Amino acid sequence: LGLSTSLPNIKPYEAGDIAQHCCQRTLDRMTIAMPFMLCQALLLIGTVLNNTRSSCYSYFYLTQAGYSGLILLVCLSFFAFTPWTRWLMRSPPILQFQLLFTHRHQSSQPPPYVYLSDGGLIECLGVMALLRRQMKLIICSDACEDAECTLRALRDTIALAREERLCSFFDPERPGRDVALTMAELRHSNAPFLRLGIRYELVE
């Protein structure tokens, strides 16, 4: 048997659309690049003055102003939920810096740019989203690097669920037992899976 498929004809971008996209991207980058370029220019001028030995005071004040400006921009980026600092979220270095510190941007309006990635920085198993929806049955496959079977990722997920007060976990066979003891026994058993019960909190 042979199967033939035909792809739909995709209309290429018009020249006007490409120009609009390039202009919009350039304007977005220039808006946030100007403060950083100004700080870098101050550092460059101060370094040149230091090399020419023209004025130590000029070198000191220019470099201090440049470093202070960069630090101020980074600090203000953590307050980008306000309308007058929201433009900082257009900067790729700012977004990378916040991603490094696992900062969660919260605002009434979404930021201009959003980085999409897996949940490895916060929760590896992808269970938290299902717990927030209060799913009755959750099947989780733990493929994290855990050679000693400590269930580290599952422990982190349980801790996050407790912090958000979503639910509590228990052993269905012995509900009164601490779930941490049940998880510890899996390491020394031949059981191919671990079954836990979930008791959700009432939604007000």
Side-chain angles (χ1 to χ4, degrees), residues 30-190:
M30 288 299 296
T31 303
I32 186 59
M34 291 302 295
F36 287 95
M37 293 175 62
L38 177 60
C39 295
Q40 292 176 358
L42 292 175
L43 294 175
L44 179 61
I45 295 173
T47 303
V48 172
L49 292 177
N50 183 47
N51 293 334
T52 57
R53 301 181 183 275
S54 59
S55 175
C56 293
Y57 290 103
S58 299
Y59 161 76
F60 175 78
Y61 289 118
L62 287 175
T63 53
Q64 290 298 316
Y67 285 124
S68 300
L70 292 175
I71 294 175
L72 179 62
L73 290 173
V74 172
C75 293
L76 287 177
S77 67
F78 290 98
F79 301 91
F81 54 86
T82 59
W84 51 86
T85 55
R86 186 171 177 267
W87 56 276
L88 289 170
M89 298 304 294
R90 298 179 182 272
S91 171
I94 290 293
L95 295 178
Q96 291 288 344
F97 184 82
Q98 293 184 353
L99 185 64
L100 176 65
F101 284 87
T102 63
H103 173 69
R104 299 183 183 180
H105 176 74
Q106 296 182 359
S107 176
S108 58
Q109 296 181 353
Y113 295 96
V114 178
Y115 279 158
L116 297 179
S117 65
D118 58 8
L121 294 175
I122 301 175
E123 192 253 335
C124 300
L125 302 179
V127 176
M128 286 297 297
L130 302 177
L131 293 176
R132 295 188 184 104
R133 300 174 187 174
Q134 295 191 354
M135 303 299 294
K136 295 182 179 180
L137 177 62
I138 298 176
I139 300 177
C140 175
S141 177
D142 188 352
C144 300
E145 184 179 358
D146 190 5
E148 298 181 357
C149 194
T150 60
L151 301 179
R152 173 181 52 84
L154 181 58
R155 295 178 189 274
D156 294 341
T157 301
I158 293 176
L160 289 174
R162 288 175 177 172
E163 289 180 3
E164 296 188 17
R165 298 182 178 180
L166 296 176
C167 60
S168 57
F169 295 83
F170 62 92
D171 186 349
E173 297 181 358
R174 287 173 286 182
R177 191 186 189 206
D178 189 356
V179 69
L181 299 177
T182 304
M183 295 171 60
E185 288 182 352
L186 182 67
R187 179 180 178 182
H188 305 287
S189 67
N190 296 325

